[in-house]
Amino acid sequence: DGGITQSPKYLFRKEGQNVTLSCEQNLNHDAMYWYRQDPGQGLRLIYYSQIVNDFQKGDIAEGYSVSREKKESFPLTVTSAQKNPTAFYLCASSTWDSQYSNQPQHFGDGTRLSIL
Amino acid sequence: KNQVEQSPQSLIILEGKNCTLQCNYTVSPFSNLRWYKQDTGRGPVSLTIMTFSENTKSNGRYTATLDADTKQSSLHITASQLSDSASYICVVTKNSNSGYALNFGKGTSLLVTP
C-alpha cells in the first residue's frame, strides 16, 4: 500500500536538544517537502528536495536541517537553534513536475512536536 | 502579504445543509488551484486540482469552481455529513520557470453538527 509514513506521531524535546523527525515514502516520488503548521496559520515551507542529494531552503529554514541520501527518505532535524519548535510538522512528496501538472502532493499524517 | 486568502475563517453548519467556502488569490502568473481537506491531526488530502482552462470540477459531494479573471475560487459542499468536519485548504501554484511555486491559504475550519 503506497504512501508516506511519518514517525513518531508525538515527540517531546528538551531544552538544548536536537530531535529528528522521520519521513519515508514508497510512491517513487522524486520531490519531498517539509512543512510546519501552527494553529490558525497556513502551511509554511521549511525545506524541499527535488532530487536525491539536493535540497533547498524554504521560507522558515532557520533552526532546521535536512538530508536526502535516499529517494525514499527525507529526515528533518529540529536543532536547538530553533527557539519555538512547538508545532505540527507535515512531510509531503510528489512527482518532480507536479506543481504544474494535475498531480497532487501526498502528505503524511504529521508529527506533533512539543517542548518539555 | 499572503497571496491566498480564504473565507470564512471558520464555519458551523447543520448536517444535511450545503455550504460554500471561498478562496481569493493574487498569485500571478497562475498555473493551477488546488483544494485539500485536512482532518484534525492528519495530513491534507487532495480534493480537486483546476487549471486555467477549467472553471468547475467535482469530486463526489464537493464541487470546486474557478474564475481566473477575478482570481476567485469556491468549494461547494452538498448535503453535508459529520465526516465533512475538517479544515479546507486552498493552494495556488504560480507559473514559474523553476523552484517552489505553491502558495497556501490559511484554511477554513468547517464543523458539521447533528
Side-chain angles (χ1 to χ4, degrees), chain A residues 9 33 35 37 40-43 45 48 50 88 90 98-110 112, chain B residues 31-32 34 36 38 41-44 46 49 51 57 89 93-102 104-106:
Chain A
K9 190 163 182 65
Y33 314 79
Y35 295 94
Q37 188 173 37
Q41 299 292 319
L43 273 67
L45 181 69
Y48 72 99
Q50 291 182 300
F88 189 52
L90 285 162
S98 72
Q99 292 183 116
Y100 308 108
S101 70
N102 287 342
Q103 300 302 314
Q105 286 181 306
H106 295 258
F107 287 84
D109 277 337
R112 189 167 298 280
Chain B
S31 178
N32 60 62
R34 303 149 184 247
Y36 285 85
Q38 184 179 20
R42 305 292 299 273
S46 178
I49 300 175
T51 60
K57 185 168 278 190
I89 301 170
T93 304
K94 184 174 184 177
N95 195 355
S96 172
N97 287 334
S98 64
Y100 184 81
L102 302 177
F104 284 78
K106 293 183 179 181

Side-chain angles (χ1 to χ4, degrees), chain B residues 1-7 22-26 73 90 104-107:
Chain B
K1 185 181 185 304
N2 200 347
Q3 298 187 68
V4 180
E5 298 288 347
Q6 292 188 243
S7 63
Q22 297 289 343
C23 175
N24 296 341
Y25 62 91
T26 58
S73 175
C90 175
F104 284 78
K106 293 183 179 181

